[in-house]
Structure formats: C-alpha cells, structure tokens
Amino acid sequence: MRPKITDEIRELLSQSVNWAKLEIEYLKLTAAEKLIILISMMVIGIVVLILLLPAILMFLFALAQVFIGFMPIAVAYVCVGGIVLLCLGILVLFRKQLVINPVAKFISKVLLDNPRSKRLSNKK
C-alpha cells in the first residue's frame, strides 16, 4: 500500500510542475500579446501625428491667408498664432478628459483584460 501512495504523490507532483510550466508559458504569451498591442498603438499614434502635423500647418497657413484678405499680414499671423495658443490652452485645461482618461482607459483595458474569462464565457 505504501508504494501506491508514493507513486501517486510523484505523479501529482509531476503534474503540478507541468501545470506550473504551462501557466508560466501562458503568462509569457499574454504579456507578449499585450506589449505588442501597446507598442503597435504607440507606433500608429506617432505615424498619425507625423502625418497630421504638416496638414495642420497647411490649414493654419490657409487660415492666415484668409485673414490677410481683411487685415494686415502681421496681424493675420498673430491671430492664427493666438488661435493655436487658445487650442493649446484648452488642451491643457481639459487634459484629463481629452488625454489622460482615454489613454488610461485603453492601457487598463489592454493590461487588465482577462482573456480566460472571455474563453470561459464563450463556452457557455
């Protein structure tokens, strides 16, 4: 009777070690997936910013040209600069609602999202 118990304990220990290795591998894959999502979103954001800046600059020059039609050139460019500063001020004042909350929501969704719960709920 004694050898059976030790064999069962060895088998249980072996299965526990195997389970722990599989859990570690799962954690590695999950971390890699989440890191890939975060890095890809950062790259997309940087590319969009790089492509958007020249467009915004062109729109600002076009706005200055519209203002030149009914005010002196220097005043038109100062007005456009004032509009840009006003937009920056609004962005700073509402940075929590416009920047911090959406970024925090996205990062927490990526990092805290539990794929196991999705798999279990899909089986029901």
Side-chain angles (χ1 to χ4, degrees):
M1 185 152 172
R2 191 94 173 143
K4 274 182 134 182
I5 293 175
T6 57
D7 289 341
E8 288 179 9
I9 291 174
R10 275 194 204 121
E11 180 66 27
L12 184 61
L13 186 62
S14 171
Q15 287 180 2
S16 298
V17 169
N18 190 28
W19 175 80
K21 287 179 184 177
L22 290 174
E23 279 295 316
I24 290 171
E25 191 65 28
Y26 176 76
L27 288 174
K28 286 180 189 177
L29 289 172
T30 304
E33 176 190 16
K34 292 176 187 296
L35 189 62
I36 287 169
I37 291 171
L38 287 174
I39 290 174
S40 65
M41 288 306 289
M42 284 175 37
V43 168
I44 289 171
I46 289 170
V47 168
V48 166
L49 187 66
I50 289 172
L51 295 175
L52 200 59
L53 284 176
I56 292 172
L57 189 63
M58 291 298 136
F59 285 129
L60 291 174
F61 278 120
L63 184 62
Q65 290 298 318
V66 169
F67 286 167
I68 286 173
F70 50 89
M71 62 180 68
I73 294 174
V75 175
Y77 282 106
V78 167
C79 286
V80 171
I83 291 171
V84 170
L85 289 177
L86 180 66
C87 290
L88 285 174
I90 290 171
L91 183 67
V92 168
L93 284 175
F94 296 107
R95 68 184 171 269
K96 189 169 186 176
Q97 294 90 346
L98 296 174
V99 178
I100 295 172
N101 286 347
V103 170
K105 184 177 178 182
F106 172 73
I107 290 175
S108 65
K109 182 179 177 185
V110 168
L111 294 179
L112 300 178
D113 191 24
N114 189 0
R116 271 196 183 167
S117 65
K118 284 184 181 179
R119 283 190 300 172
L120 294 176
S121 64
N122 288 338
K123 289 182 180 180
K124 289 182 181 178

